[in-house]
Amino acid sequence: RRANARGPPPPRYADVMKDVPPNHYARLGLSEDATAEEIKKASKKMRIQTHPDQVKKGNPNMTEDELAKVTSTAANVGEAADVLEDPDKKREYDEKIREWKRKHGGRLPKEHA
C-alpha cells in the first residue's frame, strides 16, 4: 500500500481542542485588541451581570443545576477578568494565545469561552 502523497492527515478536532486556552476575551465580550480601559469596564459589567446573587434576583426559583451553571459562569468571568486586568498575567496569556495560533492557525474558538 502506498503512503499518502499529500502528507500526514490533519489533526483530529478533539486533539486540537484539548490544549486550546480559554478565550478570556470572549468571556468578557471583548476583542483581542481591547484596551486596558475597555477590559476594566467589561470586567466590572460582567462580574455584576453574572454574579449568582444578581442572577437569582431575576430568577428566584432556580434549580440547583441552574445555580451551578450560573456559579460556573461567574467563576469563568472572574478568572478572565483577573487574568486580563493584570498586565503580567495578560502578557503571559496573550503569548499563550499567539503560540496556540502559530501551532494551529486561525483564532481561538468562541465556544471555548
Side-chain angles (χ1 to χ4, degrees):
R1 212 169 126 154
R2 291 177 27 172
N4 186 343
R6 290 181 276 159
R12 289 188 0 234
Y13 181 77
D15 292 336
V16 171
M17 294 304 292
K18 70 181 175 189
D19 68 339
V20 64
N23 192 335
H24 291 322
Y25 292 100
R27 286 179 177 177
L28 298 180
L30 297 168
S31 65
E32 291 180 24
D33 61 353
T35 65
E37 189 59 36
E38 290 170 327
I39 290 169
K40 183 177 179 181
K41 186 176 179 180
S43 294
K44 182 176 181 179
K45 176 185 172 188
M46 291 302 293
R47 283 181 193 263
I48 291 169
Q49 194 174 347
T50 62
H51 192 281
D53 291 340
Q54 193 70 18
V55 175
K56 279 194 279 189
K57 283 181 188 177
N59 187 2
N61 299 322
M62 290 176 69
T63 66
E64 285 188 33
D65 287 344
E66 291 170 328
L67 182 57
K69 185 174 181 179
V70 166
T71 301
S72 175
T73 298
N76 288 340
V77 165
E79 176 188 15
D82 290 345
V83 168
L84 296 180
E85 288 180 327
D86 181 292
D88 293 330
K89 289 179 183 178
K90 182 180 182 300
R91 193 171 17 263
E92 287 178 29
Y93 173 73
D94 287 343
E95 179 54 37
K96 186 187 286 187
I97 289 174
R98 281 190 293 278
E99 182 60 34
W100 189 88
K101 287 178 180 180
R102 273 193 294 273
K103 186 176 178 184
H104 300 289
R107 58 192 131 152
L108 289 178
K110 282 196 173 208
E111 71 264 13
H112 221 58

